[in-house]
Amino acid sequence: CYDPKPYWSTLNGTWNSMYSIINLTNDIIQGIEGSEMYQKADKAKTSNIMQLYGEAKTLRAMLYLDMIRIWGDVVFRTKPSSSEEDLLVGVTDRNEILEFLIEDLKAVEPAMAYAADLDYGVERASREFCQGLIGLLAMNRGGWTLRPDTSDPAKIGYMERGENYPFYYDIAIEYLGKVIQEGKH
């Protein structure tokens, strides 16, 4: 049917839960960035604080990817909200969100630990999981998406491929290739 209604409680609950978790990850990211441990940490080297920082950013990216898959363009927040007014903003184009998340994860990925080196293994967001997520984000950014047809509300929409898609396929090849070539997972 592709025409969700605001009174569908399952969708509302999913939307609210996902934004609640995103806001929590934004709180954690902000807290880590303001901590003395993070300020003193080597940002390119694996440490407990950099692992936690990478896990929070990975979780946020994973949630946004799921939201984009369900709803398309969504509200994009990278800072914690402090009131309901903070949430009364428009949606951001999904390509802008995906581009931000790809670059955000590419910056933190080298400082994350492999699953074999983590105390809970694959139960935590590891370096190879982050690499795979970067590849998945890039595949989504480079691929086709259903866009709303604003010129004719009776139409469901049209399919569109983002500009510069070969660039994002190259990122996917690079990061998915890392998972395979590094042989850690």
Side-chain angles (χ1 to χ4, degrees):
C1 298
Y2 306 107
D3 191 19
K5 305 292 183 222
Y7 51 81
W8 289 358
S9 62
T10 301
L11 284 179
N12 276 338
T14 301
W15 175 274
N16 292 337
S17 294
M18 292 175 103
Y19 272 114
S20 176
I21 298 167
I22 287 169
N23 198 52
L24 183 59
T25 61
N26 287 336
D27 278 337
I28 293 167
I29 291 165
Q30 185 179 57
I32 290 173
E33 288 173 343
S35 74
E36 188 176 325
M37 285 178 66
Y38 178 78
Q39 299 300 324
K40 292 179 179 178
D42 181 350
K43 309 300 185 279
K45 189 175 177 185
T46 302
S47 65
N48 286 338
I49 194 72
M50 291 308 296
Q51 176 62 30
L52 292 172
Y53 187 62
E55 286 181 34
K57 287 191 168 215
T58 300
L59 178 59
R60 179 176 68 185
M62 187 176 69
L63 286 161
Y64 270 120
L65 177 60
D66 285 344
M67 292 190 82
I68 288 168
R69 288 173 163 169
I70 298 168
W71 288 287
D73 300 340
V74 294
V75 175
F76 184 56
R77 303 280 309 184
T78 58
K79 301 286 183 220
S81 61
S82 56
S83 69
E84 285 187 28
E85 289 180 17
D86 286 346
L87 297 176
L88 300 176
V89 296
V91 298
T92 302
D93 183 273
R94 67 197 81 177
N95 286 344
E96 289 179 39
I97 297 171
L98 292 169
E99 290 165 12
F100 177 89
L101 296 173
I102 290 166
E103 293 306 314
D104 198 36
L105 293 184
K106 281 170 62 176
V108 76
E109 174 263 334
M112 293 181 73
Y114 292 104
D117 301 327
L118 293 172
D119 53 358
Y120 286 93
V122 296
E123 298 298 318
R124 291 180 64 184
S126 62
R127 185 172 183 175
E128 57 265 47
F129 180 84
C130 183
Q131 292 166 341
L133 185 57
I134 292 167
L136 191 55
L137 290 164
M139 293 287 289
N140 277 269
R141 172 56 183 84
W144 293 87
T145 59
L146 180 64
R147 299 291 181 150
D149 189 344
T150 55
S151 65
D152 184 358
K155 292 183 181 176
I156 291 175
Y158 63 95
M159 294 301 290
E160 177 182 84
R161 184 180 231 171
E163 295 176 13
N164 211 8
Y165 66 88
F167 173 74
Y168 291 99
Y169 288 160
D170 289 342
I171 291 173
I173 290 167
E174 176 186 352
Y175 280 87
L176 295 173
K178 281 184 175 189
V179 176
I180 296 166
Q181 293 162 3
E182 291 173 5
K184 296 285 188 175
H185 189 75

